[in-house]
Amino acid sequence: MESAATNQHYVPQFVLRGFASSASGKQIFVFDKANERSFSDSVRRVAAAGAFYDCETDGQPHSIDPLLTKMESAASDSIKKVIDGRSLRVLSEMGRKIIALFAAVQMLRTEAQRKQLKSMIDSVYNVLLRMGADPNNVQGFEFLDEEQTRTHSILSLREIAAALMPHFLDKCWVLYSTTKDNPFYISDNPIAMFNSNQDLLRGTLGLRVPGIEVHMPLSSRSLLGFCVQPWSARFVGAMTWHRR
């Protein structure tokens, strides 16, 4: 495949540049949690992997990288307006939809999301085995190996993101601001979810769960929140909010 050697980002470069450590926007400080070390690296090299959005099914190559590049181009314009204007009121209705789609895609496109999916599949598989069932004969369940999970994540991303997009649009949008001395940070899995409503039996981090808060960093000075109510914000700072 022609794009197989391409370094494809799961956090777009235009977003990473908003957290750059150099004036040119080409370098960024990185903290490696696994090895507990920090270092400076090129924005072109971080949060990326070769052929990350390329796969092959039935001998035919597929890539969603061109589609993501097109989406990122549209989203970068809308996000830049928000950062420069320090307000959500600068967004048109189409601008809001573009950012909502971008947030949905960003939540799905990371390496962490693929690992979470594989972990869930493995967990169900192991539970079925412990119950004495044959997972291969369980209706509605299909075991996927590493490569199959990767392929499924790539091919299903567009459809799932379109389904999740309305759940970003129907929330209150809050724009948080901070100072240069207390900047926001970004990670290789930048969509953060929090819910102060805890449940001992069920998870509370779904997009439609009451009390959910979703936060997406836009730059070191700006962060976009999608909240059930604007006063549920957990960050202190200047904010503007907009509701559909």
Side-chain angles (χ1 to χ4, degrees):
M1 188 180 301
E2 183 178 345
S3 61
T6 304
N7 207 34
Q8 298 170 350
H9 282 72
Y10 39 89
V11 179
Q13 291 188 68
F14 83 86
V15 174
L16 294 173
R17 292 189 191 103
F19 300 83
S21 56
S22 63
S24 65
K26 295 182 178 181
Q27 293 288 315
I28 190 169
F29 278 117
V30 180
F31 177 65
D32 183 345
K33 291 195 294 184
N35 299 305
E36 296 187 348
R37 67 188 187 96
S38 59
F39 55 92
S40 180
D41 205 344
S42 169
V43 165
R44 294 181 60 184
R45 289 165 49 90
V46 301
F52 192 75
Y53 300 115
D54 302 337
C55 65
E56 191 173 287
T57 57
D58 299 325
Q60 296 297 315
H62 298 276
S63 179
I64 60 170
D65 191 50
L67 181 65
L68 292 176
T69 299
K70 183 177 180 180
M71 184 270 299
E72 289 170 10
S73 178
S76 65
D77 291 339
S78 295
I79 289 174
K80 186 177 187 302
K81 288 180 181 179
V82 172
I83 294 173
D84 292 346
R86 300 188 67 186
S87 173
L88 295 170
R89 294 185 177 91
V90 301
L91 288 175
S92 64
E93 189 67 18
M94 179 56 67
R96 292 184 68 251
K97 290 180 179 179
I98 290 172
I99 291 180
L101 178 61
F102 177 82
V105 169
Q106 185 59 69
M107 188 173 73
L108 298 169
R109 68 189 294 183
T110 64
E111 178 69 22
Q113 184 68 20
R114 293 183 185 181
K115 290 180 178 178
Q116 182 179 3
L117 175 60
K118 185 65 172 74
S119 177
M120 181 179 67
I121 293 171
D122 291 347
S123 295
V124 173
Y125 184 86
N126 291 329
V127 167
L128 291 172
L129 287 179
R130 288 197 296 270
M131 292 172 59
D134 182 354
N136 298 316
N137 295 328
V138 175
Q139 185 176 3
F141 175 76
E142 181 181 4
F143 178 78
L144 303 178
D145 61 24
E146 292 284 352
E147 183 58 28
Q148 290 171 330
T149 300
R150 195 181 83 86
T151 298
H152 173 77
S153 297
I154 293 170
L155 297 181
S156 64
L157 190 147
R158 182 176 184 175
E159 180 182 355
I160 298 176
L164 294 182
M165 174 184 167
H167 303 305
F168 285 91
L169 284 171
D170 66 8
K171 291 179 172 52
C172 293
W173 289 28
V174 184
L175 182 62
Y176 304 91
S177 298
T178 188
T179 63
K180 183 178 179 180
D181 295 333
N182 297 282
F184 293 124
Y185 294 88
I186 195 167
S187 76
D188 56 0
N189 188 34
I191 299 293
M193 304 178 74
F194 177 83
N195 197 329
S196 57
N197 299 328
Q198 298 299 307
D199 192 309
L200 295 177
L201 300 178
R202 296 178 295 179
T204 58
L205 295 183
L207 285 177
R208 299 183 64 184
V209 177
I212 191 66
E213 299 175 24
V214 185
H215 298 99
M216 179 173 70
L218 305 180
S219 73
S220 61
R221 299 284 297 276
S222 301
L223 181 145
L224 179 56
F226 307 89
C227 305
V228 177
Q229 294 292 346
W231 51 84
S232 66
R234 299 181 62 81
F235 289 95
V236 178
M239 66 178 71
T240 60
W241 68 280
H242 177 73
R243 191 166 192 166
R244 188 178 183 184

